[in-house]
Amino acid sequence: MNCWTVTSPCTVRCTAHRVPPVAAPVRASRYTALAGALLWGLASGPRLARGEVLRTRARGVIRALGTTLEAPAPFSGPRPGETGSLIVSDHISWLDALALLAVEPATALAKREVAQWPLLGPLAERAGVQFIDRDRIRTLPGTVAQVTAVLRGGRSVLVFPQGTTWCTESGSGFRRALFQAAVDAGAPVRPVTVSYRQCGEPSTVAAFLGDDTFAASLHRVISARDLAVRVTPHPALHPARDRRALAAAAYAAIRGTCVPAHP
């Protein structure tokens, strides 16, 4: 096992609706709205990677899913001459990245399999997502160098350093490798908690786990009643620390906001 190969005890059996799913006509309406939102994003072409365009399209997809975004005011991003931030988050669902990009446009890292997903794959590519091979350790130095260059260029980078998804935001500790990019670039690390609720109570329905398929996970999200995704930012961490300390501090910040999500 290498630093990209991380296993989670969570399986699709961890996912559950807290309240009865929506009726079939509501699901059909959401699927139609989602298709429109994705096609709208694809029609943006290369402009999709631009900050405000990306934020607007991400919010549109979330609305189409019937999901409510609970987040702070949109973040303006680095000022001219500043480095970008390394945005690190817990990882529960494919919906995590959409929620985070709806708050702050950034260059996101994703596993290479995402590129093959219908509609979302091409959309992610046009949004500037960088696809990585988590199973090949020899690609890691190049990935760290690539992230360092993006941060130095003044654009923030979104990563999920748990290496896999978990059914709640507690998950596991963070892998340290990509924190080296923040150290090398002198960039701040900004931890963010992503969590899911139905009717105000913690929910696992949006989790994307184990051998689950994207189609099945999407159907659960589309079917979920009163689903909300909450984005909670934490104070930035100074990059003067070493990567081990940065990873531990970021994980502690996120873990400190956790509540049990199992019904």
Side-chain angles (χ1 to χ4, degrees):
M1 182 179 295
N2 59 52
C3 58
W4 291 117
T5 306
V6 183
T7 58
S8 165
C10 301
T11 70
V12 69
R13 292 190 298 274
C14 295
T15 61
H17 289 271
R18 264 202 175 268
V19 291
V22 298
V26 177
R27 291 198 301 270
S29 175
R30 289 178 178 179
Y31 272 117
T32 300
L34 176 62
L38 294 177
L39 290 173
W40 188 33
L42 287 172
S44 301
R47 293 190 308 113
L48 186 59
R50 297 179 186 174
E52 195 53 44
V53 176
L54 179 55
R55 177 159 39 212
T56 300
R57 299 298 186 264
R59 287 176 177 255
V61 172
I62 292 170
R63 283 195 303 271
L65 292 167
T67 301
T68 300
L69 175 65
E70 298 177 352
F75 190 77
S76 59
R79 291 175 293 187
E82 291 183 337
T83 64
S85 297
L86 186 70
I87 305 169
V88 297
S89 171
D90 50 315
H91 201 13
I92 298 171
S93 172
W94 48 269
L95 192 49
D96 302 344
L98 277 171
L100 291 163
L101 293 175
V103 175
E104 179 179 357
T107 296
L109 298 190
K111 61 182 181 180
R112 61 179 179 177
E113 291 85 353
V114 172
Q116 307 305 317
W117 290 357
L119 281 180
L120 275 182
L123 197 63
E125 191 169 3
R126 293 190 184 188
V129 172
Q130 301 294 310
F131 301 108
I132 59 175
D133 190 339
R134 298 188 307 190
D135 298 325
R136 298 175 63 192
I137 191 171
R138 65 184 179 183
T139 66
L140 182 56
T143 300
V144 172
Q146 179 182 356
V147 172
T148 301
V150 174
L151 293 172
R152 285 175 174 161
R155 186 169 175 88
S156 295
V157 179
L158 168 62
V159 300
F160 298 102
Q162 284 174 323
T164 191
T165 50
W166 300 72
C167 65
T168 72
E169 58 267 36
S170 56
S172 69
F174 285 166
R175 297 303 193 234
R176 300 187 296 269
L178 288 174
F179 287 87
Q180 186 62 46
V183 174
D184 293 344
V189 173
R190 290 197 283 109
V192 183
T193 300
V194 177
S195 56
Y196 295 88
R197 284 165 172 72
Q198 286 184 278
C199 298
E201 296 295 326
S203 173
T204 60
V205 72
F208 183 45
L209 307 164
D211 295 330
D212 199 8
T213 65
F214 174 69
S217 177
L218 173 62
H219 188 72
R220 279 197 308 276
V221 170
I222 287 277
S223 303
R225 184 186 302 274
D226 196 24
L227 177 64
V229 53
R230 180 176 297 176
V231 175
T232 306
H234 306 288
L237 304 172
H238 197 276
R241 310 184 190 201
D242 63 42
R243 65 183 185 183
R244 181 187 297 271
L246 280 173
Y251 179 63
I254 290 170
R255 187 72 183 267
T257 63
C258 296
V259 292
H262 282 290

